[in-house]
Amino acid sequence: MFGIDGLTITVLLALIVDFSVRAVAIIVVPRNRRPMSGMAWLLTIFFVPYLGVLLFLLIGYRTLPKKRLAMQEEINRFIQGSTEGMELVRRDHPWPNWLESVVELNRNLGAMPLVGDNTASVIGEYQVAFDTMIADIDLAKKYVHVEFYILSLDHTTAPFFTALENAHKRGVTVRVLMDHIQSMRKPGFHQTKKRLTDAGIHWELMLPVQPFRGKWQRPDLRNHRKLLIIDGLVGFMGSQNIIDRSYNMRSNIRRGLQWKDFMTRLEGPIVSGLGAIFITDWYSETDELLNRDVEPVHPRPVTHALDCQVVPSGPGFKGENNLRLFLALLYYAQDRIIITSPYFVPDEAMMYAITTATQRGLHVELFVSEIGDQAVVYHAQRSYYEELLTAGVHIYMYKAPYILHAKHFTIDDEVAVVGSSNMDQRSFSLNMEVSLMVRGRSFVRDLRVMEDENRLNSRELTLEEWRRQPLRSTILDNLARLTSAVQ
């Protein structure tokens, strides 16, 4: 009778565990997940089972802790009640007959109404955006609410911090939110916190990853919003963070990279909608509900009035609000679609919507950067270029050394969307974002000016040029595309 030695037993056990892991993964991983994402996770687990399982347990679920989800539901009900009756929209000519259903979609998903009698200005210059925000903070009388993905004290942003400090000294209530992980990753994080603390300003970290303090969730679920609300009268939102346009990173400075961003300044009832987003996030981090800071709506007739609707999104919502909005608009477009997105890694549904638009005879343009600041995202994005070019999409690459970081798109001459959301799977599923749908030809005309400027500073990529790229680039692009789906 043959004995079985320890090594044989170990090998057999390893094979059983390995097979069990793969079998369980086939059942568990694809559940309630996009097919592409599920396949990427399965491939990861099949090729590197132990590491794959560890990663899946760490970042495989995109939901927030139960307490946060319950708070999100509570605040959604609060916003729904506090914004009842705000639908102050004229629906004057030209009112696209399809827009009503998009408004209803957004209302059902994000609890925000469409409101009229707003004004908005676009700011495409980095320093001008800072100067404008600082000027409005200097006029604040009651409160200043600051919420940014990245908040960093440096030579460019120092006047912004001074304006907050001066407002606090005047008796204005100043509250600040900044994303924990991303702000921490930038130079000067401790100096930033110290400056706010020394100024007596109440600040909080968003989605903190501090397990020893009982604060933990999936670490790559981040709050990507950029908001500034002043007295409930003036609001800013867009793509720009509170940091120097080099992002103060040595590699960026060495390469001479400069961020090209975009902000929108708003006045009117819609500012209450932006304020509600801040209230939501402040409540999530502090358990303090700032219902006293919900400003009543005082509509006033304005020239070239805009209808606006705030669309929050993120893992705290049951649906991918921003993706559903984008898809609806892409399918409803009748003439042209112009997209500006620094990180363009679409899912299958969005690729179908865009390529279907060209097949319907629409003119479609996509603005991206010629170079990238994040290698994996940059190569994943490139993996879609051939399919887009073949379908007839015009791809414009903003010339180096600038990183085109603005996020907006226009539908025909009627509707635009601006905000913090990229058109990538991270923004659709993992990040907390805020988008603003604007109906108004004057606003679209202003964005057209910016699109024209971007076109002058870009070069158009052709299919012939793309097909000449070396094989190694194709391999890198396809590998990056696969990893981008692991979420």
Side-chain angles (χ1 to χ4, degrees), residues 5 74-75 94 138 171 187 202 210 216 223 246 253 267 308 319 334 356 359 367 377 385 393 434 450 464 466 484:
D5 59 24
E74 181 182 350
I75 201 72
D138 288 341
H202 189 173
Q210 299 168 322
W216 172 261
N223 193 317
S246 69
I253 296 170
E267 291 187 65
C308 302
Q334 301 296 307
T356 298
Q359 292 165 357
F367 285 90
V377 178
Y385 287 173
V393 176
V434 59
M450 189 167 295
E464 291 73 24
W466 182 251
S484 72

Side-chain angles (χ1 to χ4, degrees), residues 247-479:
Y247 276 50
N248 298 322
M249 304 300 289
R250 290 182 181 178
S251 58
N252 295 345
I253 296 170
R254 185 174 62 251
R255 296 171 64 189
L257 299 187
Q258 297 283 298
W259 264 242
K260 169 72 174 173
D261 268 296
F262 168 84
M263 292 295 279
T264 303
R265 181 185 184 275
L266 294 152
E267 291 187 65
I270 195 60
V271 179
S272 293
L274 295 181
I277 300 298
F278 180 90
I279 290 170
T280 299
D281 292 334
W282 186 264
Y283 178 55
S284 296
E285 304 303 345
T286 67
D287 289 331
E288 180 187 9
L289 182 55
L290 305 174
N291 54 0
R292 63 186 179 276
D293 290 332
V294 177
E295 296 294 319
V297 178
H298 298 296
R300 54 186 175 81
V302 295
T303 305
H304 302 304
L306 303 173
D307 301 324
C308 302
Q309 188 173 29
V310 174
V311 182
S313 58
F317 293 91
K318 294 179 180 178
E320 295 169 317
N321 300 356
N322 48 358
L323 175 59
R324 292 176 187 272
L325 166 62
F326 298 166
L327 289 175
L329 292 176
L330 291 171
Y331 278 114
Y332 277 126
Q334 301 296 307
D335 177 44
R336 55 178 162 168
I337 300 166
I338 301 181
I339 300 169
T340 302
S341 181
Y343 310 117
F344 183 82
V345 187
D347 68 350
E348 187 176 13
M350 176 157 284
M351 282 297 289
Y352 266 91
I354 292 174
T355 54
T356 298
T358 60
Q359 292 165 357
R360 290 194 289 127
L362 276 63
H363 179 81
V364 181
E365 296 181 12
L366 170 65
F367 285 90
V368 294
S369 296
E370 183 178 47
I371 56 176
D373 65 302
Q374 300 180 30
V376 174
V377 178
Y378 173 69
H379 283 286
Q381 175 172 291
R382 285 163 49 91
S383 71
Y384 294 90
Y385 287 173
E386 183 169 4
E387 183 178 353
L388 291 168
L389 291 168
T390 302
V393 176
H394 298 267
I395 299 178
Y396 290 93
M397 307 175 75
Y398 203 90
K399 294 179 182 178
Y402 293 97
I403 299 294
L404 183 61
H405 193 242
K407 311 155 199 302
H408 52 81
F409 74 100
T410 52
I411 300 295
D412 303 335
D413 294 322
E414 301 291 340
V415 176
V417 176
V418 298
S420 66
S421 180
N422 298 305
M423 285 194 174
D424 68 355
Q425 296 176 55
R426 167 162 290 281
S427 282
F428 298 150
S429 301
L430 305 181
N431 287 343
M432 292 183 176
E433 307 281 5
V434 59
S435 301
L436 183 74
M437 185 177 76
V438 182
R439 176 257 172 180
R441 291 198 168 200
S442 62
F443 187 76
V444 174
R445 281 196 299 269
D446 291 342
L447 280 178
R448 289 276 183 262
V449 173
M450 189 167 295
E451 291 165 353
D452 291 341
E453 292 175 356
N454 289 345
R455 201 174 291 105
L456 288 173
N457 290 288
S458 303
R459 66 178 184 85
E460 185 172 2
L461 179 67
T462 65
L463 184 58
E464 291 73 24
E465 175 190 349
W466 182 251
R467 285 176 172 166
R468 291 197 298 268
Q469 72 164 338
L471 178 61
R472 65 177 180 275
S473 295
T474 302
I475 294 173
L476 283 173
D477 296 344
N478 290 338
L479 286 174

Side-chain angles (χ1 to χ4, degrees), residues 132-147:
T132 307
M133 288 189 288
I134 290 168
D136 282 316
I137 292 171
D138 288 341
L139 298 175
K141 292 181 172 59
K142 292 189 291 183
Y143 65 84
V144 177
H145 288 167
V146 180
E147 177 176 345

